[in-house]
Amino acid sequence: MTTEARYDIVAVGNAIVDVIAQADDSFLEEEQLAKGAMTLIDAERATELYRDMGPAREISGGSGSNTLAGASTLGRQCALIAQVADDQLGEVFTHDIRATGIDFDVPPLGKEPPTARCLIFVTPDAQRTMNTFLGASQFLPPSSVDADLIASGAILYLEGYLWDADEPKAAMALAMDIARKNGRKVAFTLSDGFCIMRHRDEFAKLIADGKIDILFSNEDEIMSLCETDDFDGAVEQTAAQVETLVVTRSEKGAIAVQDGQRVSVAAEPVDKIVDTTGAGDLFAAGFLSGYTEGRSVEDSLTIGAIAAAEVISHYGARPEADIRAMVEERLG
């Protein structure tokens, strides 16, 4: 690296407030919601779903933001580039992200479009169905990318969800170029199967062109990316193109492939799975925390598994327990 990093992780992501409510499968069918997926919706649909959903709680979210919140809880220094509006939810998001110790200084837009929100329905099997109105977050301009900030982060973390709109896509591409010119690592999460369907060719090109050092995926996403039902084949194909590949496999644990060496860990035990929202985000937080500490791949995977297990034991995608203490007890 050209200079010592001020931050462990700088992320470019969506600034979203999650609105979470319980629902049963019949509700999903009535509303024609794709169970377990993230679906993009417009302002009118967001208003309809909010009207029809049961009692809800509002918790700041956004995939990259959740990852930073977990990493910050684990003791990492983090900064976020994201876009909110000048409204109540924008104030909620800004307060919450700063309260976790994350630097966030992107000025808000005007009142319209409003701050993004994700209406999340959690079924009794703890599966989450997400319906996202991107609002202000899809207008994150390239001008928000502070070159000095990107250059000061050991790892630039990008979320695939943000690839849906032209302005943030351009912002992410600029951030990648700045990071690479400054010898920083670029980490990218594929985010969601539907996201891959929308952008498979572009994601594949980023990987093939060597733009990504650390790639995060789950089992279904890696097979979707490679358009195959052969998990091991998809892992082998993708791992050959990135420095580090991390793939989560729910109750089957997770794997990482680095320099041709494949490492696996089991899932951490959970007394009761309450809400799977944020499991992948927190796994990335744990792995990147271990990575920036210089821990082994196996230990980094284990930290990821600990963080993911904590977040699925309660509602919301931000940690509630002291996961740093949990890691120290387990690994020292």
Side-chain angles (χ1 to χ4, degrees), residues 108-325:
L109 291 175
K111 301 292 185 181
E112 294 290 337
T115 297
R117 70 286 315 269
C118 182
L119 307 178
I120 302 175
F121 299 93
V122 182
T123 40
D125 59 0
Q127 184 62 268
R128 82 283 184 275
T129 299
M130 301 182 293
N131 303 269
T132 305
F133 169 57
L134 291 173
S137 68
Q138 63 188 322
F139 295 97
L140 176 73
S143 60
S144 67
V145 176
D146 183 326
D148 290 337
L149 178 61
I150 299 296
S152 67
I155 295 174
L156 171 67
Y157 184 74
L158 307 169
E159 59 170 278
Y161 282 136
L162 204 57
W163 211 257
D164 281 307
D166 289 339
E167 282 194 276
K169 184 190 298 187
M172 293 170 79
L174 175 60
M176 277 189 277
D177 288 343
I178 294 170
R180 302 207 72 80
K181 288 177 182 176
N182 286 274
R184 304 310 191 186
K185 299 294 184 183
V186 176
F188 190 91
T189 174
L190 293 175
S191 293
D192 179 87
F194 285 82
C195 188
I196 294 168
M197 290 173 63
R198 294 192 295 271
H199 308 296
R200 182 182 288 109
D201 291 345
E202 291 177 275
F203 288 174
K205 189 174 190 306
L206 287 175
I207 295 166
D209 289 349
K211 296 289 186 72
I212 298 169
D213 300 296
I214 306 168
L215 180 67
F216 289 94
S217 174
N218 68 25
E219 188 170 12
D220 292 335
E221 290 161 5
I222 198 71
M223 290 189 290
S224 175
L225 177 70
C226 297
E227 298 184 276
T228 179
D229 293 328
D230 179 2
F231 173 72
D232 290 325
V235 167
E236 182 178 356
Q237 175 183 332
T238 309
Q241 301 178 81
V242 296
E243 176 189 290
T244 305
L245 172 65
V246 180
V247 184
T248 57
R249 308 186 72 188
S250 299
E251 71 279 0
K252 292 180 284 187
I255 69 162
V257 183
Q258 187 177 83
D259 299 326
Q261 300 297 311
R262 179 166 165 167
V263 179
S264 303
V265 299
E268 290 291 305
V270 180
D271 290 336
K272 181 182 179 182
I273 299 175
V274 175
D275 174 15
T276 56
T277 307
D281 302 335
L282 269 292
F283 194 99
F287 184 89
L288 291 176
S289 294
Y291 183 97
T292 56
E293 285 182 350
R295 291 180 183 258
S296 68
V297 172
E298 182 176 4
D299 280 359
S300 297
L301 286 172
T302 299
I303 298 171
I306 291 170
E310 190 281 334
V311 83
I312 65 175
S313 68
H314 57 76
Y315 286 106
R318 303 279 173 91
E320 293 183 354
D322 188 347
I323 53 176
R324 189 175 186 180

